[in-house]
Amino acid sequence: LRVQIEARDRQQRAADEALRRSEARYRSLVDGAAYGIYRSSLEGKFLQVNPALVAMLGYASEEELLAVDVARDVYQDAEERRQLIDRHREAERIEGVVVHWKRKGGRPLTVRLSGRALLEAGALQEFEMIVEDVTQRRALEDQLRQAQKMDAVGRLAGGVAHDFNNLLTVIMAETEMALESPVVESDVRGSLLEIRRAGTSAAALTRQLLAFSRKQ
């Protein structure tokens, strides 16, 4: 009997040691992850966070971050969190949802959330999420979109300038021919000179538009 008890004790100790090692490996994986990882309650409290999330949000320690209210202190707009919960109340997987957070102190942060909603008896209880900071990527994407818009504006301005320049060429040529005519009356000549001055100003504007389109 004693041999059996000792054998069971050895098995239990081995099982406990295997469990301890497994938990240590899991903890090491979470703590060493490059992305933020957290578990939160439906009510808006972090239940578990990893060091990457603490650093991402600018807090001094896990304990400090665990004390915050997620909707109030992490989301830029608490309504966004409520809408996220409503959209995924019956969906266990959450894939690549972009939301707007803020660091401690209020600096904006754009993040991508992926993970799962934990249900109990069909009711949503908690979230287990991975967080990727995409603030810089989003800023670059916005800059690219703005550059594309400006490129389109530049092409449009260039096209308009070329067409307008063609019209000006005809106007200026006809005006010069009329001014050279010996039979043009003085009052008409004054009007033609005004047309030429306006044409010269318009040509300068056209050059500016062409320069703008080339720059863009």
Side-chain angles (χ1 to χ4, degrees), residues 134-207:
V134 295
T135 305
Q136 185 174 9
R137 183 189 307 172
R138 280 295 171 119
L140 292 174
E141 290 173 352
D142 289 343
Q143 290 176 12
L144 176 60
R145 282 192 291 270
Q146 182 64 20
Q148 291 171 337
K149 289 179 183 178
M150 293 304 294
D151 180 65
V153 170
R155 289 197 301 270
L156 176 61
V160 170
H162 280 294
D163 290 344
F164 189 50
N165 192 57
N166 291 336
L167 295 173
L168 279 176
T169 300
V170 175
I171 292 171
M172 295 295 284
E174 293 293 331
T175 302
E176 292 296 333
M177 290 176 61
L179 284 170
E180 293 174 359
S181 174
V183 296
V184 174
E185 298 179 3
S186 59
D187 56 340
V188 175
R189 180 175 295 276
S191 297
L192 291 172
L193 289 172
E194 287 297 325
I195 292 173
R196 185 169 66 179
R197 279 193 290 271
T200 301
S201 297
L205 176 60
T206 303
R207 287 193 295 272

Side-chain angles (χ1 to χ4, degrees), residues 120-132:
E120 184 175 319
L124 179 62
Q125 298 295 323
E126 297 177 359
F127 291 99
E128 288 183 348
M129 307 298 294
I130 295 175
V131 187
E132 180 186 4

